[in-house]
């Protein structure tokens, strides 16, 4: 667990490249248990998606955006003044942070109902359901860096949500 820059919580790091405090990109899952400010991270592009819980309202530079598990990802400037208001209790959120001077990229939440080729993607994180990937069964919050192959829902008709991370070094 890594403490937030503002000291108000912690996050579980899935990947940090390089694995130092001077990372170029970081993927993590945070437990948000109270309303409050986000850490200001100038020079960092951020993506966030609600993985568990009712959701939250993010206010970024005075503009409100409601995030719930089915709303997908939201991108914002890490240096913006950002606060969070929980809708109905704690949430877990998935965060991608990119130092814009070192890497560009994106995070997209996708629904998988049929096989999905994942070659060339930096990371996948399971947000709901269960998939098979390269002979391994992956469930909620499981992640694979540099996946190769085809992600297939375990059960026919099962809807799986994945966060897909794509990166391009500068």
């Amino acid at each position: 667990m890594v403490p937030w820059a503002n000291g108000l919580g912690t996050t579980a790091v899935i990947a940090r490249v390089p694995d130092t405090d001077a990372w170029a990109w970081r993927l993590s899952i945070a437990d948000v248990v109270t309303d409050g400010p986000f850490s200001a991270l100038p020079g960092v592009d951020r993506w966030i998606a609600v993985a568990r819980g009712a959701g939250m309202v993010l206010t970024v530079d005075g503009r409100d955006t409601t995030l719930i598990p089915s709303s997908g990802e939201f991108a914002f400037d890490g240096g913006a003044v950002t606060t969070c208001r929980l809708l109905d209790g704690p949430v877990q959120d998935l965060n991608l942070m990119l130092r814009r001077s070192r890497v560009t990229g994106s995070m997209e939440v996708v629904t998988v109902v049929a096989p999905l080729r994942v070659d060339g993607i930096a990371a996948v994180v399971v947000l709901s359901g269960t998939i098979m990937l390269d002979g391994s069964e992956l469930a909620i919050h499981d992640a694979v860096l540099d996946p190769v192959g085809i992600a297939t829902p375990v059960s026919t008709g099962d809807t799986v949500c994945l966060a897909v991370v794509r990166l391009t070094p500068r």
Side-chain angles (χ1 to χ4, degrees):
M1 296 299 273
V2 174
W4 294 350
N6 67 10
L8 296 177
T10 59
T11 191
V13 175
I14 295 169
R16 184 171 75 162
V17 178
D19 192 14
T20 69
D21 288 341
W23 46 264
W25 67 277
R26 188 177 93 173
L27 185 63
S28 62
I29 295 178
D31 290 313
V32 182
V33 298
T34 186
D35 298 346
F38 271 39
S39 303
L41 300 169
V44 173
D45 292 323
R46 296 183 72 166
W47 283 260
I48 191 168
V50 173
R52 276 200 186 133
M56 60 185 161
V57 175
L58 279 189
T59 303
V60 180
D61 283 342
R63 299 183 78 191
D64 289 347
T65 300
T66 300
L67 299 171
I68 59 175
S70 62
S71 65
E73 73 286 344
F74 176 67
F76 63 103
D77 181 340
V81 175
T82 304
T83 59
C84 165
R85 181 176 50 82
L86 299 172
L87 295 178
D88 186 19
V91 300
Q92 286 186 318
D93 62 43
L94 180 67
N95 299 276
L96 173 65
M97 293 186 258
L98 309 176
R99 291 197 201 275
R100 83 177 57 99
S101 64
R102 303 195 42 210
V103 67
T104 62
S106 65
M107 180 174 79
E108 178 184 12
V109 176
V110 298
T111 301
V112 179
V113 293
L116 171 71
R117 180 159 292 286
V118 295
D119 299 350
I121 293 171
V124 295
V125 181
V126 179
L127 298 179
S128 69
T130 307
I131 63 165
M132 288 298 293
L133 178 61
D134 197 25
S136 296
E137 187 171 293
L138 304 174
I140 293 174
H141 293 176
D142 285 341
V144 177
L145 302 179
D146 298 319
V148 175
I150 297 174
T152 306
V154 168
S155 300
T156 303
D158 190 14
T159 299
V160 178
C161 284
L162 298 177
V164 175
V165 176
R166 292 178 174 86
L167 302 173
T168 304
R170 289 199 183 262

